[in-house]
């Protein structure tokens, strides 16, 4: 009996491998065909050739606005601008380390063959559109013989970042939703260029402790405000739930790379500085756990407690030469089964297929929300989950997925070591036993790095129902954590 089960499992894995190989080979080709389609559509609808990450990594080029110098010192890659400081809005350098190479380097069997024709055509298109403009000279640091390269698309976006930031510029692309909800930030947030923050204060604003809630990937502050906040309405805490940059009602700048620095700085600006928050508790879910650790690294002395829900921590072996690629393959293993792995692989490996998914789902989210209301009889829980899942841009989701989950996710050891060695705050971890998005092992991996962390695995709960559906119980657990941390 046991031998038959083992044989059946082996056959199942083999079938999954073969089917996955065929399906993803076909998707490789489809993605490159969509690349051509979107380049044409972008030019016709926006009168401009838009760069994409199908291009091979190239040396940095510059425009007439200023030069970009790529340097390599002490094994740290940096992009340095030599433009006048006033053009940088106070920022004189952008670290190349913040940009994950998984954006433009996702190996596959057919990619090299497919790239030849696409790259040749793209080079021609780029040369044609640049033929009427003078380009500055390329400046490459020669302190080391090693040649530094970066994606052409990254360079294009960096050129926009060395200009004074203006969130009102280029509100959305033709493939993004332009409804009032998705673009409300242009009128409500553009003056101070801050995130959308939902707050809940005790009566009389007498709260003496602050709590910051950070949602997960393709979600919004409603994940907290529609579940936990009502259960904490009589508490003594000041509660802050943010919509992350690029999601919900927060700004969705088209020229942002959505790096760790940008996400953390926007949270600091929109919550800590704006509301004069000096010390605080953090509650974070999934992707939010990575950003929470980034905040902890900068504000360790101000952290009272750290509560992580389903932290996506995949330890990278010391012998692994490409840690970001390793994490990407853990998150998106290029398999058709289970379905969650197939969905993650579609979103992570294919820039243009994922853009098509956003075009169908996010741009038409009002239709899907209307249908969901009819089917569920206006179920409030379903409504806010769909709203959070669909209200973002492809640019925000794509860059956050690669630069945060794959990029920063590959070096979480550094952040966890800071929590272990330099902080004394309580660390609590919650995980659903049935979570198929982030395996339960990830939480135990965090505990192995931070021995004092307490892990609670909730039976019969998954990535979402860890909170949704048990908000009353979870709110009590949070209050106990905050109370014990204040003693």
């Amino acid at each position: 009996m046991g031998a038959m089960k083992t044989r059946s499992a082996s056959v199942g894995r083999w079938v999954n491998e073969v089917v996955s190989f065929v399906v993803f080979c076909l998707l490789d080709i489809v993605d490159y065909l969509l690349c051509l389609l979107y380049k044409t559509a972008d030019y016709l609808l926006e009168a401009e050739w838009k760069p994409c990450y199908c291009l091979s990594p190239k040396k940095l080029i510059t425009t007439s606005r200023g030069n970009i110098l790529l340097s390599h010192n002490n094994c740290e890659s940096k992009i340095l601008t030599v433009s006048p400081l006033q053009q940088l809005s106070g920022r004189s350098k952008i670290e190349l380390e913040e940009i994950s190479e998984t954006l433009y380097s996702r190996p596959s069997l057919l990619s090299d063959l497919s790239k030849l024709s696409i790259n040749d055509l793209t080079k021609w298109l780029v040369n044609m559109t640049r033929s009427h403009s003078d380009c500055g000279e390329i400046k490459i640091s020669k302190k080391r013989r090693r040649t530094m390269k970066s994606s052409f698309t990254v360079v294009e976006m960096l050129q926009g970042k060395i200009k004074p930031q203006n969130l009102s510029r280029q509100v959305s692309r033709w493939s993004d939703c332009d409804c009032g909800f998705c673009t409300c930030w242009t009128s409500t947030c553009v003056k101070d260029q801050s995130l959308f923050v939902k707050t809940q204060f005790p009566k009389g604003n007498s709260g003496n402790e602050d709590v910051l809630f950070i949602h997960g990937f393709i979600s919004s502050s409603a994940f907290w405000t529609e579940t936990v906040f009502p259960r904490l309405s009589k508490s003594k805490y000041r509660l802050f739930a943010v919509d992350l940059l690029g999601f919900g009602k927060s700004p969705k700048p088209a020229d942002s790379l959505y790096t760790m620095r940008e996400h953390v700085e926007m949270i600091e600006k929109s919550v800590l500085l704006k509301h004069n928050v000096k010390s605080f508790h953090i509650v974070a879910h999934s992707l939010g756990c990575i950003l929470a650790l980034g905040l902890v690294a900068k504000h360790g002395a101000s952290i009272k407690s750290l509560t992580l829900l389903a932290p996506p921590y995949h330890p990278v072996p010391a012998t692994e030469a490409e840690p970001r690629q390793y994490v990407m393959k853990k998150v998106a293993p290029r398999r058709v089964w289970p379905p969650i792995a197939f969905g993650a692989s579609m979103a992570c490996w294919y820039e243009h297929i994922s853009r098509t998914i956003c075009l169908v789902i996010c741009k038409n989210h009002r239709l899907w929300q209307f249908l969901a209301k009819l089917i569920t009889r206006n179920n409030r829980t379903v409504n806010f989950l769909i709203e959070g899942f669909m209200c973002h841009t492809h640019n925000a989701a794509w860059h956050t997925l690669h630069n945060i989950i794959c990029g920063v996710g590959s070096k979480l050891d550094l952040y966890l070591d800071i929590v272990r060695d330099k902080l004394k705050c309580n660390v609590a971890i919650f995980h659903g036993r049935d979570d198929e998005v982030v395996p339960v092992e990830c939480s135990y991996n965090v505990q192995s790095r931070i021995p004092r962390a307490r892990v609670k695995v909730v039976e019969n709960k998954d990535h979402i129902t860890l909170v949704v559906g048990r908000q009353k119980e979870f709110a009590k657990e949070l209050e106990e954590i905050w109370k014990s941390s204040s003693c």
Side-chain angles (χ1 to χ4, degrees), residues 166-351:
N166 182 4
L167 293 180
S168 63
R169 181 169 59 85
Q170 193 178 346
V171 172
S172 61
R173 303 184 65 177
W174 68 268
S175 55
D176 295 329
C177 180
D178 58 358
C179 74
F181 180 91
C182 293
T183 60
C184 66
W185 60 272
T186 58
S187 59
T188 59
C189 300
V190 76
K191 289 185 178 180
D192 58 358
Q193 297 186 352
S194 61
L195 301 177
F196 173 81
V197 182
K198 181 69 174 180
T199 61
Q200 180 173 290
F201 295 167
K203 291 182 179 180
N205 196 22
S206 58
N208 55 6
E209 290 192 50
D210 299 325
V211 185
L212 171 63
F213 289 83
I214 309 175
H215 65 76
F217 187 58
I218 52 176
S219 185
S220 71
S221 57
F223 184 78
W224 306 113
T225 60
E226 294 290 334
T227 56
V228 180
F229 273 38
R231 301 294 179 178
L232 298 172
S233 58
K234 297 181 180 180
S235 69
K236 64 177 182 178
Y237 303 97
R238 296 200 308 169
L239 310 180
F240 303 89
V242 300
D243 279 352
L244 295 175
L245 185 66
F247 299 87
K249 295 183 179 180
S250 283
K252 304 173 179 66
D255 61 353
S256 174
L257 291 171
Y258 296 88
T259 61
M260 181 73 145
R261 184 196 300 260
E262 291 171 284
H263 278 292
V264 170
E265 285 183 351
M266 287 297 284
I267 294 174
E268 291 173 326
K269 179 180 182 179
S270 307
V271 179
L272 307 188
L273 296 177
K274 190 173 183 179
H275 295 277
N276 194 31
V277 175
K278 300 300 182 182
S279 62
F280 54 102
H281 306 271
I282 296 181
V283 181
H285 178 240
S286 193
L287 159 75
C289 296
I290 300 177
L291 301 179
L293 291 171
L295 280 168
V296 168
K298 293 186 67 175
H299 303 275
S302 301
I303 308 300
K304 287 191 170 184
S305 71
L306 180 61
T307 303
L308 306 176
L309 284 72
Y313 173 47
H314 302 277
V316 179
T319 57
E320 178 60 46
E322 297 180 321
R324 291 163 173 169
Q325 297 284 347
Y326 176 87
V327 172
M328 181 176 68
K329 291 172 183 177
K330 282 288 187 180
V331 173
R334 285 174 69 92
R335 294 290 180 269
V336 296
W337 191 265
I340 194 69
F342 182 63
S345 299
M346 294 273 282
C348 197
W349 286 83
Y350 300 109
E351 179 180 3

Side-chain angles (χ1 to χ4, degrees), residues 60-266:
L60 284 172
I61 65 174
T62 63
T63 63
S64 57
R65 282 193 60 90
N67 298 321
I68 298 179
L69 172 67
L70 190 64
S71 70
H72 192 97
N73 296 314
N74 299 323
C75 298
E76 292 184 3
S77 307
K78 295 180 183 297
I79 293 176
L80 306 176
T81 64
V82 293
S83 304
L85 187 60
Q86 59 268 26
Q87 289 188 359
L88 307 179
S89 295
R91 178 175 295 181
S92 60
K93 62 183 178 182
I94 300 173
E95 293 186 9
L96 183 60
E97 183 65 20
E98 296 180 52
I99 302 168
S100 174
E101 75 273 7
T102 58
L103 280 168
Y104 51 86
S105 177
R106 298 178 299 282
S108 64
L109 184 63
L110 299 181
S111 62
D112 292 337
L113 295 176
S114 303
K115 280 182 179 179
L116 290 177
S117 58
I118 297 297
N119 282 339
D120 290 341
L121 177 61
T122 306
K123 289 176 184 177
W124 179 80
L125 294 175
V126 171
N127 289 334
M128 288 294 292
T129 56
R130 291 182 177 278
S131 60
H132 300 292
S133 63
D134 295 325
C135 295
E137 296 181 354
I138 302 175
K139 294 190 176 182
I140 304 294
S141 173
K142 296 183 179 180
K143 292 184 179 180
R144 298 203 176 210
R145 294 183 180 180
R146 192 182 327 189
T147 301
M148 298 297 297
K149 295 183 179 180
S150 182
S151 168
F152 180 78
T153 305
V154 172
V155 177
E156 289 285 293
M157 302 190 76
L158 284 174
Q159 288 168 354
K161 291 182 68 59
I162 67 174
K163 304 172 187 176
Q165 293 295 301
N166 182 4
L167 293 180
S168 63
R169 181 169 59 85
Q170 193 178 346
V171 172
S172 61
R173 303 184 65 177
W174 68 268
S175 55
D176 295 329
C177 180
D178 58 358
C179 74
F181 180 91
C182 293
T183 60
C184 66
W185 60 272
T186 58
S187 59
T188 59
C189 300
V190 76
K191 289 185 178 180
D192 58 358
Q193 297 186 352
S194 61
L195 301 177
F196 173 81
V197 182
K198 181 69 174 180
T199 61
Q200 180 173 290
F201 295 167
K203 291 182 179 180
N205 196 22
S206 58
N208 55 6
E209 290 192 50
D210 299 325
V211 185
L212 171 63
F213 289 83
I214 309 175
H215 65 76
F217 187 58
I218 52 176
S219 185
S220 71
S221 57
F223 184 78
W224 306 113
T225 60
E226 294 290 334
T227 56
V228 180
F229 273 38
R231 301 294 179 178
L232 298 172
S233 58
K234 297 181 180 180
S235 69
K236 64 177 182 178
Y237 303 97
R238 296 200 308 169
L239 310 180
F240 303 89
V242 300
D243 279 352
L244 295 175
L245 185 66
F247 299 87
K249 295 183 179 180
S250 283
K252 304 173 179 66
D255 61 353
S256 174
L257 291 171
Y258 296 88
T259 61
M260 181 73 145
R261 184 196 300 260
E262 291 171 284
H263 278 292
V264 170
E265 285 183 351
M266 287 297 284

Side-chain angles (χ1 to χ4, degrees), residues 281-282 304-311 416 419 424-432 440 442-458 466 474 476-486:
H281 306 271
I282 296 181
K304 287 191 170 184
S305 71
L306 180 61
T307 303
L308 306 176
L309 284 72
L416 294 173
V419 177
K424 296 182 180 180
C425 67
N426 289 337
V427 180
I429 305 172
F430 293 84
H431 214 121
V440 177
C442 289
S443 285
Y444 288 117
N445 291 337
V446 174
Q447 187 183 45
S448 67
R449 203 79 189 187
I450 309 174
R452 74 173 185 275
R454 293 182 292 108
V455 176
K456 178 176 180 178
V457 177
V458 184
L466 178 63
F474 183 59
K476 289 182 179 179
E477 291 168 339
L478 286 178
E479 287 191 290
E480 291 176 1
I481 293 171
W482 301 336
K483 185 177 179 181
S484 63
S485 300
S486 302

